[in-house]
Amino acid sequence: MLHDEDPQERLQLACSLGEWRDPHAAAALVKLGVQDADEPVIGDAAVSSLRADNVGDALSAVLAEDGDLPGAFVGKMMATGVGYRQDSVVARALDQLIANQREGHARWKLEALVILSNKLRSQRRSLVDLPHFHAQAPHAASARLARFLQAMRRLVVDTQAAVGDRICAIRLLAQPRDDNVTRLFSALLTPQEPAAVQAAAVEALAQMREDRNADVLLSDWTSHSPQLRGQIVDALLARPTWTTLLLDAMEQGRVAAGELDAPRRGQLAQHRNEAVRRRAAALLSEASTPDREQVVQRWESALLLDGQPQRGAKAFAKLCAACHQLDGKGYAVGPDLAALTDRSAKTLLTAILDPNQSIDARYLNYVAFTDEGRAFSGILVRESDSSITLKTQENKEHTLQRTRLEEVQCTGQSLMPEGLEQDLNEEALADLIAYIA
């Protein structure tokens, strides 16, 4: 049945083997998990069928296999051993995985160790606790693990290494109370690093649960992409003390209220802590600058006029079409005006005259400086491991290699400029609103 063509039959076998007391059951479960690496349900069933009395035999069998193995399957087996408190057999398996360090570290091994590390973290333990349980040579095993973790530190900052390997190394090093690792991860939060590496560093800093890491996440805020900012805010909102530090940063002007998107502003406004809700309400109500509020108030008289859409189309072509598209005219750089849900005249008036009052993070303006002394601005529309792409008026795009970037800064402002009222009179503004509405 191990090689039955029907995956349902193999799944049933994986479940049934958990009831067998035959010493060959562990080896059969390993065979199923390895050969069905592309069928995770079968692999998970095989892992769940392991018992405290045979998980050691299963680990010995799987690590005796030749070639690359499914890292998730091996990692889950080791995590199961930890769950059964079979620390000695897991310590032996760990020592086998990190042996032969001169040959490098295969991805599947790193993936397995990440799963093991996560399981240990759930028990408030870490990889460094395991070698002490090594039955034959605990001191030698501890020394090998120390060398392995040092190799992971080098891998984290190796820009020539595969991104996936670096991410695994970051996750393996995410242990609390390690200032050296905190500094290591902090240095990764730069636009020169691939987006996935930056995201893994944020995740790791959040997992480490050190309050000082909140300050690390908030530093260099203006250089982060909207996606990374969102991840950082999520991490800060997940811990009450960190949420307080986020509000501190907003009060200090380091983080603008308008830079938080609607769902995250809602989380602050509905926070279970009353003091947080009060502070958030005060900060979020100040998103509009006083000058712009006064401009909006001065131009509210335009709402009393009977705007003409045909004339408004001409104003749109002159002032808005470089970044907005409507009725098939213009460029789709900014928000889709055809998809607006609130087309009331007052809302449109505010959006035109005070574009920074409420900004979708996708349309924040960034400025990138290259090592050639050039500056490019626009909204950040794409990120890859090796480049970022800024889009500006008339759909012009600038793709910049990360290795050539010196600095990337978010202006905290919308790509849409303030001051459009200087090119309008009340009648023209009324016409423009009538056309968009």
Side-chain angles (χ1 to χ4, degrees):
M1 292 181 68
L2 276 174
H3 303 291
D4 196 300
E5 292 185 0
D6 187 350
Q8 290 298 322
E9 291 295 329
R10 300 196 302 277
L11 176 61
Q12 182 58 52
L13 175 61
C15 295
S16 300
L17 284 170
E19 304 299 323
W20 290 13
R21 298 296 166 178
D22 188 297
H24 298 295
L29 287 168
V30 166
K31 291 291 185 185
L32 278 171
V34 172
Q35 75 179 22
D36 281 301
D38 295 331
E39 297 280 356
V41 174
I42 297 176
D44 288 347
V47 170
S48 67
S49 289
L50 293 172
R51 304 185 306 273
D53 62 352
N54 70 1
V55 67
D57 292 337
L59 283 170
S60 296
V62 75
L63 294 179
E65 294 277 337
D66 294 327
D68 289 349
L69 297 171
F73 177 63
V74 176
K76 290 173 183 178
M77 289 176 65
M78 298 174 77
T80 298
V82 169
Y84 283 136
R85 290 290 180 179
Q86 298 297 307
D87 289 345
S88 62
V89 299
V90 178
R92 187 171 65 246
L94 168 62
D95 199 39
Q96 285 181 258
L97 280 179
I98 64 175
N100 301 321
Q101 294 188 30
R102 292 181 180 178
E103 300 177 6
H105 303 283
R107 173 77 62 82
W108 73 266
K109 293 183 180 181
L110 298 179
E111 292 173 345
L113 291 173
V114 168
I115 294 173
L116 171 61
S117 179
N118 290 341
K119 177 64 176 181
L120 290 165
R121 184 182 294 112
S122 72
Q123 299 180 348
R124 297 192 178 279
R125 298 197 292 164
S126 68
L127 290 176
V128 297
D129 296 317
L130 280 181
H132 305 297
F133 296 96
H134 196 291
Q136 285 78 37
H139 296 299
S142 292
R144 278 189 288 272
L145 180 59
R147 290 194 295 273
F148 169 77
L149 293 176
Q150 190 59 41
M152 293 300 99
R153 289 182 172 87
R154 293 192 295 272
L155 178 56
V156 162
V157 296
D158 183 358
T159 57
Q160 302 303 311
V163 169
D165 291 350
R166 296 178 69 193
I167 290 173
C168 286
I170 290 169
R171 291 171 176 166
L172 287 170
L173 292 174
Q175 304 299 331
R177 297 179 298 281
D178 192 330
D179 291 343
N180 291 330
V181 168
T182 297
R183 286 192 290 270
L184 191 69
F185 292 166
S186 175
L188 298 175
L189 300 180
T190 67
Q192 290 81 9
E193 292 287 355
V197 169
Q198 295 182 60
V202 170
E203 178 187 5
L205 287 165
Q207 284 181 345
M208 291 164 68
R209 302 191 301 274
E210 302 288 336
D211 281 350
R212 63 178 176 271
N213 287 359
D215 289 326
V216 173
L217 292 173
L218 285 165
S219 64
D220 295 325
W221 172 262
T222 58
S223 70
H224 300 325
S225 69
Q227 183 176 2
L228 192 67
R229 286 181 174 192
Q231 187 182 355
I232 289 171
V233 172
D234 288 342
L236 296 172
L237 291 175
R239 301 183 189 280
T241 55
W242 289 20
T243 301
T244 299
L245 293 173
L246 171 61
L247 293 173
D248 290 345
M250 293 170 67
E251 288 173 345
Q252 295 160 7
R254 295 162 57 197
V255 176
E259 293 174 339
L260 273 61
D261 61 15
R264 294 178 176 98
R265 292 198 301 269
Q267 283 183 261
L268 280 173
Q270 299 169 18
H271 199 278
R272 63 181 181 179
N273 184 292
E274 183 180 352
V276 169
R277 290 199 304 274
R278 284 200 304 268
R279 289 181 68 189
L283 289 164
L284 296 175
S285 67
E286 297 172 358
S288 180
T289 63
D291 288 347
R292 285 288 101 192
E293 286 181 355
Q294 292 172 12
V295 169
V296 172
Q297 291 171 6
R298 285 201 305 269
W299 286 77
E300 284 182 346
S301 56
L303 301 178
L304 303 176
L305 302 179
D306 186 15
Q308 299 299 311
Q310 288 183 336
R311 293 200 303 258
K314 295 179 181 178
F316 179 87
K318 177 183 177 182
L319 300 174
C320 312
C323 290
H324 292 287
Q325 190 175 72
L326 192 61
D327 295 335
K329 300 175 182 178
Y331 298 90
V333 180
D336 182 1
L337 299 181
L340 291 177
T341 56
D342 185 354
R343 294 173 175 271
S344 66
K346 179 60 185 298
T347 296
L348 292 175
L349 174 76
T350 302
I352 292 168
L353 300 180
D354 190 3
N356 295 304
Q357 185 190 68
S358 180
I359 315 171
D360 186 322
R362 293 174 297 173
Y363 303 108
L364 283 166
N365 192 38
Y366 280 75
V367 181
F369 301 90
T370 71
D371 57 4
E372 297 176 326
R374 301 182 67 191
F376 299 88
S377 66
I379 59 174
L380 187 57
V381 290
R382 280 190 302 280
E383 288 189 273
S384 71
D385 291 344
S386 60
S387 67
I388 66 171
T389 300
L390 300 177
K391 179 187 283 190
T392 188
Q393 296 182 4
E394 299 178 349
N395 272 344
K396 295 175 182 176
E397 293 191 353
H398 303 288
T399 298
L400 309 172
Q401 297 302 307
R402 291 186 184 274
T403 55
R404 307 304 301 270
L405 293 174
E406 284 194 348
E407 186 180 8
V408 177
Q409 292 286 328
C410 176
T411 65
Q413 303 285 304
S414 168
L415 181 65
M416 180 174 172
E418 294 180 346
L420 287 183
E421 70 277 2
Q422 298 173 19
D423 296 314
L424 294 165
N425 55 36
E426 284 190 357
E427 185 179 73
L429 180 56
D431 293 341
L432 179 60
I433 291 172
Y435 174 66
I436 297 173

